[in-house]
Amino acid sequence: MMMKKIQMQTPIVELDGDEMTRILWKMIKAELITPFVDLKSEYYDLGLVHREETKDAVTVEASNAIARLGVGVKCATITPNEQRMSEYNLSEKYKSPNGTLRAILDGTVFRTPICIDCIKPVVKNWKKPITIARHAYGDIYKATEFRVPEKGKAELVFTGENGTNFRQTIYDFECPGVIQGLYNKDNSIKSFARSCFNYALDAKEDLWFSAKDTISKKYDQTFRDIFQEIFENEFKEKFAEAGIIYFYTLIDDAIARVIRSEGGFIWACKNYDGDVMSDMISTAFGSLAMMTSVLVSPDGKYEYEAAHGTVTRHYYKYLKGEETSTNPMATIFAWSGALSKRGELDGNKELEAFGHNLEKACFETLNSGIMTKDLVHLAEGIEAKAVSSEEFIKIIRAHLQEDLKLD
Ligand code: NAP
Ligand code: MG
């Protein structure tokens, strides 16, 4: 029996990417999306070849489209380095597309591991996923730094438009060294805080925020104060109603608590802490290939993607005609997340349910022991079989068809 495809009211923004994930992207669409959904999408090709052709204008257009339409799904993309400059014959070392997206959407990145029964976290007491919320603006990523070449005085100077002036000695160098200046903005910290509080309400999970305000008495203290103020003024009652809590704690203490916890909460981190801790969390839960990522702007725009990169090593094997067993889970979950969210925003129950069914079909496949190579050696208490990406996706499709009661 042919099924009537699920209809969409509003398009999602589709951002294609590079290398192995670009190959997976095509397979996922062909096998798991377009047979079931009458896909409406605004397509932007962020593959490096097209970014070069448009001098990266395509990245800005795609980001604006997400701001306009509200939901996007993105494939992993290459961030050019010296080697990529020559490999792709680039005229410019383009900025990371994710950086451009974050700057335009002013968002916070939430990363959550996909957990399955047969893959036990390294930390035995973790029972539920831990979501890391990373402030995606400023600090060390926007720092100015240089090497101090000789003896001399380093100063911190601020010249205000209305006449405030600060000048303070950082260090009287008696020998060469290094120096770095970094900043953040109240507006960005407020957006970060609001995105985190809203996300916690959505997920109905506690929110933790950690920084180092005992050492950084102005910088990190400002983060702590802004979070507290926004919580008191805008979210305290909503949190009480939802039965969840918010608290601040020192990053050292947070790490100890995270390790002892059962999971099932959101851990908000400053930019660098979030970068580093999300790798720790994903590895401890099993695999970077099982980590999803969503950028949420303070006004409720969503961009879904996998946390991993373009899996270059597998792509080169693929180009040589070898069969690859790259894990498509995080990329599939980017699609399911985006379609479910689109459904939710449009009051389209069928589309919303489709996203959940797609995830269910993935879990059914993994729980039956069918998985990609990266997961096989992690699986316990199950007879696991490694299949190629293509086979894996085809088996998910079969489960999905059955769940949707189709022949
Ligand atoms: P990567 O693509 O995440 O891959 C690193 C390694 O992790 C792989 O070689 C593979 O290990 C394993 N891995 C990652 N994802 C996997 C998957 N889905 N299935 C199976 N194994 C997986 O990181 P990278 O090699 O450092 O970066 C490659 C390119 O991706 C770079 O050009 C970088 O700029 C870009 N990148 C993009 C994003 C993004 O768009 N958000 C994020 C990070 C990196 P084995 O080789 O051992 O199998
Ligand atoms: Mg990192």
Side-chain angles (χ1 to χ4, degrees), residues 1-15:
M1 197 185 75
M2 273 298 292
M3 168 217 184
K4 213 175 129 275
K5 286 190 191 181
I6 297 165
Q7 297 299 306
M8 295 175 64
Q9 293 100 314
T10 319
I12 56 169
V13 187
E14 178 185 344
L15 287 66

Side-chain angles (χ1 to χ4, degrees), residues 18-21 24 74-81 83-84 96-98 102 111 287-290 293 305-314 317 325-331 372-375 389:
D18 289 298
E19 299 194 313
M20 202 58 220
T21 40
L24 294 177
K74 179 180 172 290
C75 179
T77 46
I78 293 169
T79 299
N81 54 16
Q83 184 261 324
R84 301 294 195 174
S96 142
N98 289 64
R102 290 194 290 249
R111 290 190 160 180
S287 159
L288 185 60
M290 296 285 275
S293 183
E305 62 177 284
H308 60 76
T310 59
V311 211
T312 311
R313 201 181 66 82
H314 296 209
K317 280 173 73 176
S325 182
T326 315
N327 190 340
M329 282 289 290
T331 306
T372 45
K373 220 169 160 180
D374 56 309
L375 296 183
S389 307

Side-chain angles (χ1 to χ4, degrees), residues 32-296:
L32 302 177
I33 311 294
T34 54
F36 307 99
V37 178
D38 195 1
L39 181 68
K40 272 196 188 146
S41 75
E42 260 188 36
Y43 178 88
Y44 295 87
D45 183 1
L46 266 61
L48 194 46
V49 174
H50 192 59
R51 270 184 277 156
E52 168 65 23
E53 282 164 4
T54 62
K55 299 274 179 274
D56 210 25
V58 66
T59 308
V60 175
E61 280 166 27
S63 309
N64 288 330
I66 297 175
R68 174 165 45 83
L69 292 169
V71 181
V73 57
K74 179 180 172 290
C75 179
T77 46
I78 293 169
T79 299
N81 54 16
E82 286 308 324
Q83 184 261 324
R84 301 294 195 174
M85 294 284 288
S86 49
E87 183 184 353
Y88 281 83
N89 215 348
L90 302 181
S91 58
E92 239 182 276
K93 200 172 183 176
Y94 301 108
K95 282 188 289 187
S96 142
N98 289 64
T100 304
L101 275 157
R102 290 194 290 249
I104 290 177
L105 295 171
D106 186 18
T108 298
V109 177
F110 295 87
R111 290 190 160 180
T112 311
I114 304 165
C115 298
I116 52 171
D117 288 343
C118 64
I119 297 179
K120 306 269 181 261
V122 175
V123 181
K124 297 276 180 290
N125 40 287
W126 286 355
K127 304 269 185 290
K128 290 178 247 169
I130 296 168
T131 297
I132 292 250
R134 172 181 168 192
H135 184 210
Y137 181 82
D139 298 354
I140 200 172
Y141 302 86
K142 292 274 182 190
T144 308
E145 56 176 28
F146 49 85
R147 280 214 30 83
V148 172
E150 57 178 332
K151 200 172 160 184
K153 190 208 286 227
E155 289 178 296
L156 195 58
V157 180
F158 172 79
T159 314
E161 228 183 36
N162 301 319
T164 8
N165 282 297
F166 300 132
R167 177 177 288 263
Q168 212 178 317
T169 302
I170 297 170
Y171 191 63
D172 267 316
F173 280 92
E174 73 285 358
C175 67
V178 280
I179 182 168
Q180 181 181 61
L182 37 96
Y183 73 93
N184 223 302
K185 302 190 296 190
D186 283 8
N187 280 345
S188 176
I189 303 167
K190 285 178 188 165
S191 295
F192 172 42
R194 289 198 176 96
S195 296
C196 290
F197 289 125
N198 278 321
Y199 193 93
L201 282 173
D202 248 12
K204 293 216 174 359
E205 287 183 343
D206 291 347
L207 176 69
W208 309 12
F209 175 51
S210 62
K212 191 76 179 175
D213 63 311
T214 43
I215 298 299
S216 173
K217 292 194 170 68
K218 292 274 158 44
Y219 203 106
D220 282 18
Q221 179 72 47
T222 297
F223 277 77
R224 179 181 178 167
D225 290 346
I226 287 177
F227 263 73
Q228 195 59 40
E229 192 185 312
I230 290 181
F231 179 67
E232 301 282 345
N233 294 341
E234 300 170 33
F235 290 96
K236 202 172 182 170
E237 276 145 42
K238 290 181 195 155
F239 267 53
E241 273 165 37
I244 56 174
I245 58 165
Y246 162 71
F247 67 86
Y248 170 85
T249 187
L250 271 182
I251 181 126
D252 329 39
D253 178 55
I255 289 169
R257 285 186 193 223
V258 164
I259 298 297
R260 284 195 308 260
S261 77
E262 278 199 355
F265 55 88
I266 295 149
W267 180 15
C269 292
K270 291 177 59 204
N271 209 350
Y272 177 81
D273 299 341
D275 182 353
V276 178
M277 288 304 154
S278 68
D279 280 302
M280 188 273 281
I281 294 282
S282 63
T283 309
F285 267 105
S287 159
L288 185 60
M290 296 285 275
M291 189 83 158
T292 62
S293 183
V294 55
L295 176 72
V296 183

Side-chain angles (χ1 to χ4, degrees), residues 6 32 36-37 339 350-358 400 404:
I6 297 165
L32 302 177
F36 307 99
V37 178
L339 291 174
E350 237 191 328
L351 186 63
E352 194 180 347
F354 174 77
H356 301 308
N357 278 316
L358 177 52
L400 183 57
L404 296 171

Side-chain angles (χ1 to χ4, degrees), residues 35-36 361 394 396-407:
F36 307 99
K394 286 213 154 89
I396 295 171
R397 178 176 177 169
H399 279 286
L400 183 57
Q401 258 163 333
E402 206 176 287
D403 291 342
L404 296 171
K405 305 263 180 297
L406 305 166
D407 303 324

